[in-house]
């Protein structure tokens, strides 16, 4: 069969005529981006088209895209019809490249080849206006007028708080998907993106070790993680970093920093040539400091190593704030699998006539829906403590 004939054949799931769907599920990505968001989009769209036979509307720029659209329509019936026509006549990639359109009817091709890519093709954003109840009411009205029966919100703590408010204030099904490299959501063992970020950190530590070893240096690397030290812990355990400094034990005093420096110096005395120190961004100091943690620690360590009569006055400390590097990169298979499982669970919840709103969570390797506002799992603290213990036990210091 010739290529021309193939191209003329109607393709399933690629609408040949513009018609707006009778019912749809909308999906948005909000707050800090996390690897695995694209894999999730692919999964929610493909399951929608292949299995559930329900259209999926992708929302550009998170809540901001909904707020912009609600404002543009502003309850006007004609504007709504025009919007529906524009969405229907710009499916998939045609919608994605039309940056005036915040709602895109996703098709197979629009999610092809994106699974392993970090970030999100729909864009993620922060939207301060969404804190306003009146704004949320307008968004709910817009979603209903667009035949949306469920909204899937993918993001971190803040985004899921917005989702909970939408669930409380409407009869729409609002499904939250935990996605943040910080792993600071205490109702799930893992959020989407954590595995990739840990992988990236291990890669980064490997690079820093090469130079630290060559110059016999101490490298202090600052990781993300917000108020949680788990990202640093996981990366430290997986990379063999010599020291992991986390926020959970409390603010670091000058005396505590001296003790850490003394520990490094002790290891040098026993023949160690270099050290990698991971410090989580949530670490606080007493007295408080405005500079990045890595720089504060560098000064404290350097000062200690250079005190009068110190054995290694030439021992150098170099800081590095790893920053947004940790958010990007190729999504790991583990995150792609979790994305598919979260999407599957979201659809099951949406399609369950007796189900309500909730958040997908991974617990003891089971993906399930939990209610919003679920209390912290005690297992998470046990996990953190276990990692700290293991790191100590594995240390050669
Ligand atoms: P993350 O989801 O990564 O934690 P943020 O905390 O910045 O990121 O939240 C992302 C967005 O979620 C905010 O810009 C806002 O639109 C929405 N959001 C956060 N907190 C709330 C809240 N308390 N009420 C309503 N919306 C919120």
């Amino acid at each position: 069969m010739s290529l021309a004939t193939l191209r003329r054949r109607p393709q399933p799931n690629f609408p040949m005529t513009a018609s707006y769907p009778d019912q749809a599920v909308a999906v948005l990505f909000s707050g800090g981006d996390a690897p695995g968001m694209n894999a999730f989009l692919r999964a929610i769209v493909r399951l929608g088209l292949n299995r559930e036979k329900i259209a999926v509307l992708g929302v550009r720029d998170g809540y901001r895209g909904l707020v912009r659209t609600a404002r543009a329509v502003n309850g006007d019936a004609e504007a709504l019809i025009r919007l529906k026509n524009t969405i229907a006549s710009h499916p998939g990639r045609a919608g994605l490249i039309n940056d005036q359109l915040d709602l895109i009817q996703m098709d197979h091709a629009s999610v092809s080849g994106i699974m392993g890519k970090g970030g999100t093709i729909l864009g993620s954003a922060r939207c301060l206006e969404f804190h306003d109840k009146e704004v949320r009411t307008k968004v709910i009205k817009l979603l209903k007028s667009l035949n949306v029966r469920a909204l899937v919100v993918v993001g971190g703590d803040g985004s899921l708080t917005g989702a909970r408010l939408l669930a409380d204030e409407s009869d729409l099904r609002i499904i939250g998907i935990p996605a943040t490299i910080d792993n600071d959501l205490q109702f799930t063992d893992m959020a989407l993106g954590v595995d990739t970020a840990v992988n990236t950190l291990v890669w980064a530590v490997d690079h820093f070790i090469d130079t630290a070893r060559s110059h016999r240096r101490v490298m202090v690397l600052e990781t993300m993680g917000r108020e949680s030290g788990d990202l640093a812990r996981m990366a430290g355990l997986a990379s063999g970093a010599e020291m992991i400094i986390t926020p959970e034990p409390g603010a670091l005093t000058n005396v505590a920093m001296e003790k850490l420096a003394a520990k490094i110096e002790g290891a040098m005395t026993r023949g160690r040539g270099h050290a990698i120190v991971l410090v989580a961004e949530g670490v606080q100091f007493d007295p408080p400091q405005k500079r990045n943690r890595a720089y504060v620690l560098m000064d404290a360590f350097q000062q200690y190593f250079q005190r009068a009569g110190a054995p290694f006055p030439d021992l150098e400390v170099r800081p590095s704030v790893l920053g947004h590097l940790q958010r990007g990169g190729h999504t790991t298979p583990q995150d792609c699998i979790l994305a598919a499982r979260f999407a599957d669970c979201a659809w099951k919840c949406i399609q369950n006539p007796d189900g309500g709103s909730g958040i997908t969570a991974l617990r003891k390797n089971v993906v399930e829906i939990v209610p919003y506002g679920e209390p912290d799992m005690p297992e998470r603290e046990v996990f953190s403590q276990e990692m700290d213990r293991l790191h100590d036990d594995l240390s050669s210091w």
Side-chain angles (χ1 to χ4, degrees):
M1 190 179 296
S2 75
L3 197 59
T5 320
L6 253 179
R7 282 203 181 113
R8 278 199 301 274
R9 293 175 80 195
Q11 300 284 310
N13 299 316
F14 287 72
M16 304 301 285
T17 51
S19 69
Y20 188 81
D22 293 336
Q23 59 165 332
V25 164
V27 57
L28 65 80
F29 300 85
S30 165
D33 62 320
M37 284 181 161
N38 277 329
F40 179 84
L41 178 64
R42 173 183 179 273
I44 200 93
V45 169
R46 293 261 167 106
L47 291 176
L49 296 175
N50 295 344
R51 197 175 74 190
E52 314 296 343
K53 315 291 179 206
I54 297 179
V56 176
L57 294 180
V59 181
R60 206 190 294 276
D61 298 343
Y63 293 124
R64 196 189 288 170
L66 289 180
V67 173
R68 266 194 307 242
T69 311
R71 188 167 296 135
V73 173
N74 199 21
D76 182 85
E78 274 183 28
L80 183 68
I81 292 170
R82 273 200 307 277
L83 174 65
K84 284 183 174 176
N85 283 339
T86 314
I87 293 171
S89 57
H90 291 76
R93 285 185 179 147
L96 285 172
I97 58 171
N98 179 349
D99 59 13
Q100 299 301 305
L101 196 56
D102 282 323
L103 290 160
I104 300 128
Q105 188 173 343
M106 305 303 286
D107 59 14
H108 272 89
S110 61
V111 291
S112 215
I114 64 167
M115 182 156 63
K117 292 193 194 307
T120 151
I121 60 163
L122 283 173
S124 181
R126 298 202 156 89
C127 174
L128 277 182
E129 290 163 279
F130 209 68
H131 288 254
D132 181 345
K133 186 164 189 266
E134 263 180 48
V135 171
R136 292 195 299 274
T137 305
K138 284 184 183 152
V139 162
I140 292 165
K141 207 170 147 203
L142 170 83
L143 289 171
K144 287 188 168 184
S145 66
L146 287 170
N147 310 340
V148 171
R149 49 178 272 224
L151 172 69
V152 181
V153 174
V154 188
D157 199 22
S159 306
L160 298 177
T161 304
R164 176 173 57 78
L165 293 173
L166 279 181
D168 289 348
E169 294 161 8
S170 75
D171 55 0
L172 288 170
R173 203 62 74 85
I174 311 286
I175 311 296
I177 310 293
T180 165
I181 66 161
D182 301 326
N183 216 25
D184 58 347
L185 302 168
Q186 304 296 314
F187 58 84
T188 179
D189 290 338
M190 289 284 264
L192 214 48
V194 179
D195 189 66
T196 304
V198 170
N199 233 50
T200 304
L201 280 168
V202 171
W203 168 87
V205 169
D206 280 349
H207 285 62
F208 281 108
I209 285 177
D210 289 343
T211 168
R213 194 181 283 126
S214 304
H215 289 270
R216 302 180 71 79
R217 274 182 186 148
V218 176
M219 310 288 301
V220 183
L221 311 178
E222 183 172 323
T223 72
M224 285 186 163
R226 288 223 206 171
E227 276 137 54
S228 164
D230 277 5
L231 181 64
R233 277 191 186 92
M234 294 167 89
L237 199 55
S239 65
E242 278 74 19
M243 187 176 274
I244 308 166
I245 307 175
T246 54
E248 287 81 359
L252 270 184
T253 59
N254 291 337
V255 174
M257 283 193 279
E258 274 187 12
K259 277 191 187 154
L260 294 173
K263 204 171 169 195
I264 297 171
E265 198 179 69
M268 299 294 163
T269 313
R270 291 189 297 278
R272 189 85 195 177
H274 67 276
I276 300 287
V277 177
L278 290 186
V279 55
E281 69 173 340
V283 166
Q284 302 293 323
F285 297 96
D286 177 14
Q289 299 275 347
K290 284 208 173 99
R291 289 179 311 150
N292 284 96
R293 285 86 191 147
Y295 286 82
V296 175
L297 283 163
M298 172 188 70
D299 283 351
F301 288 178
Q302 201 71 80
Q303 220 176 344
Y304 184 82
F305 298 147
Q306 288 170 356
R307 73 196 183 284
F312 304 104
D314 297 331
L315 183 59
E316 284 182 312
V317 186
R318 288 282 198 276
S320 190
V321 179
L322 300 177
H324 288 78
L325 165 98
Q326 298 160 82
R327 291 241 188 108
H330 197 86
T331 311
T332 58
Q334 201 60 42
D335 270 329
C336 291
I337 293 166
L338 188 60
R341 296 179 73 195
F342 277 168
D344 180 42
C345 180
W347 269 117
K348 284 181 178 145
C349 181
I350 292 166
Q351 295 293 62
N352 177 1
D354 303 321
S357 294
I359 316 185
T360 60
L362 177 73
R363 296 170 164 198
K364 297 184 182 160
N365 207 20
V366 175
V367 171
E368 56 191 343
I369 285 279
V370 298
Y372 286 98
E374 188 72 342
D376 290 357
M377 289 193 297
E379 291 86 352
R380 283 299 305 273
E381 205 183 322
V382 173
F383 174 69
S384 307
Q385 288 163 356
E386 190 184 309
M387 278 194 293
D388 286 344
R389 249 196 327 271
L390 258 177
H391 183 260
D392 285 348
D393 291 347
L394 288 168
S395 167
S396 60
W397 286 19

